[in-house]
Amino acid sequence: MNRYQLIESLVPILEDTLVICNIGIPSQELFSICDRDNHFYMLGSMGLCSSIGLGLSLTTKKSVIALEGDGSVLMNLGSLATIANRSPENFVLIIMDNGSYGSTGDQATYTSESTSLAMIARGAGCDNVIECSGIDTKELLGDVLQQRVPSVIVSKIDPGSQPLPVIPLHPIILRERFRSSIKS
Amino acid sequence: MKNRISEQLISALKAAGVDFFVSVPCKLLSGQIQLLEGDSSISYLPVTREEEGFGICAGAHLGGLFPCILMQDSGLGNSVNAIKSLIQFFQIPIVMLMSYRGSPGEPVPAQAPMGWLTPELLRLMQIPVLHCHHRQDIADIGPLVSHAWVTQSPVAILIDFNLMEQN
Ligand SMILES: [Mg+2]
């Protein structure tokens, strides 16, 4: 299973949540599979997906999902410590770990060698850290959303991306429609 | 006296509508951070680095809050891309309360090179600035913070080392 297939499998349960999606191809894939108002596609600010998700989760009772990548999390590891200590019950961090910088030409990340993001997250103090296959991710995500426990899911998938165009939405339109989905 | 400056700053920010705070530590901001830790009328959390703080503040603003980041001016250099491609690109109001570590009075020489750049970098980044040299300058915080909200932009409050240290 690659990232496109993983996102495709998760889309049905993302409907009732607020989704912050990682910059680049992950956002383009989510946008092309299913575009909804409750998706915030990061158009810039490499590495900050988990942080935007945490900040939002502190302001709402709705479930917030940060749809992250392994390369992106490696750029902002301090975020895992903040999440471990301050995450509310409605925040779930999903790391789509394909061991690859997928948006920049599939260069290998260190998670394809010795580095375990699940162990880093546990070391940071995150309580509920689940490492699983791409195929099992949907069911496990459904469980943690129902239990409302702050969670980090490291979903191990294969590298490879869909060639897709840049998202054609104006940032302010994207921001405003996302905001109205928070209120609805 | 030090506490009075801290209290003045935090109450000016709160009075202007700021209700979400993050901080990257600074010796000169320890009074403000202490006040925020004990204030249940606002949200506050420490962050590990400025860039992360801008991300968290952006998320909090999507959720309707008005964020402020407490940081040293050196942290501006760590955050240029986050401010440009997230905060200004999505038009997110945020107040940057910055201790001006590179200004006269600073005993750490390594703070100076970034400090020389700070005012010009803020200008280049098109971030409106209130530079506080004297205690009475703090009175202008209210209009600057309102300007951030009205224009949906980041604004910076730069506070001289000597104002923070000697008052
Ligand atoms: Mg990756």
Side-chain angles (χ1 to χ4, degrees), chain A residues 8-180:
Chain A
E8 223 173 11
S9 78
L10 298 181
V11 150
I13 32 176
L14 299 181
E15 188 161 10
D16 299 322
T17 68
L18 300 167
V19 182
I20 308 293
C21 189
N22 189 25
I23 184 178
I25 297 180
S27 273
Q28 293 162 11
E29 289 181 343
L30 176 60
F31 179 77
S32 93
I33 292 164
C34 172
D35 177 36
R36 296 188 185 117
D37 289 355
N38 63 322
H39 297 170
F40 184 82
Y41 308 108
M42 273 175 70
L43 302 177
S45 62
M46 181 178 78
L48 297 186
C49 176
S50 66
S51 305
I52 300 170
L54 174 64
L56 174 63
S57 72
L58 293 165
T59 70
T60 176
K61 294 275 173 238
K62 284 195 172 181
S63 291
V64 174
I65 295 173
L67 214 45
E68 263 283 26
D70 50 318
S72 174
V73 170
L74 286 169
M75 289 173 188
N76 185 13
L77 284 176
S79 177
L80 291 173
T82 310
I83 288 167
N85 289 282
R86 290 292 183 274
S87 177
E89 60 177 18
N90 57 325
F91 184 55
V92 180
L93 171 62
I94 301 179
I95 305 172
M96 303 183 288
D97 183 0
N98 59 4
S100 164
Y101 293 106
S103 292
T104 55
D106 272 325
Q107 300 86 353
T109 71
Y110 284 127
T111 70
S112 71
E113 296 181 45
S114 307
T115 302
S116 160
L117 285 172
M119 283 174 71
I120 294 175
R122 286 188 195 109
C126 296
D127 278 333
N128 195 37
V129 180
I130 302 161
E131 185 174 293
C132 62
S133 68
I135 291 164
D136 293 334
T137 307
K138 180 187 178 182
E139 195 184 332
L140 288 162
L141 174 61
D143 291 347
V144 300
L145 287 174
Q146 204 165 23
Q147 294 157 8
R148 284 181 82 79
V149 276
S151 304
V152 177
I153 299 176
V154 182
S155 176
K156 302 293 278 185
I157 51 173
D158 300 323
S161 301
Q162 215 72 12
L164 290 165
V166 168
I167 294 172
L169 290 173
H170 190 278
I172 304 310
I173 290 170
L174 179 48
R175 187 194 73 182
E176 286 311 303
R177 60 175 222 171
F178 185 72
R179 276 235 183 92
S180 31

Side-chain angles (χ1 to χ4, degrees), chain B residues 6-22:
Chain B
S6 303
E7 275 162 26
Q8 237 179 311
L9 284 166
I10 297 299
S11 44
L13 290 166
K14 284 172 64 180
V18 176
D19 52 7
F20 185 90
F21 294 83
V22 304

Side-chain angles (χ1 to χ4, degrees), chain A residues 45 52 59 82 175 179 182, chain B residues 52 61-62 85 90-91 152:
Chain A
S45 62
I52 300 170
T59 70
T82 310
R175 187 194 73 182
R179 276 235 183 92
I182 299 175
Chain B
E52 181 203 9
H61 180 67
L62 288 173
S85 70
F90 283 99
Q91 296 185 17
Q152 303 182 88

Side-chain angles (χ1 to χ4, degrees), chain B residues 147-164:
Chain B
H147 185 62
W149 190 260
V150 169
T151 59
Q152 303 182 88
S153 309
V155 299
I157 303 165
L158 195 56
I159 303 163
D160 278 352
F161 190 97
N162 280 333
L163 176 59
M164 297 285 276

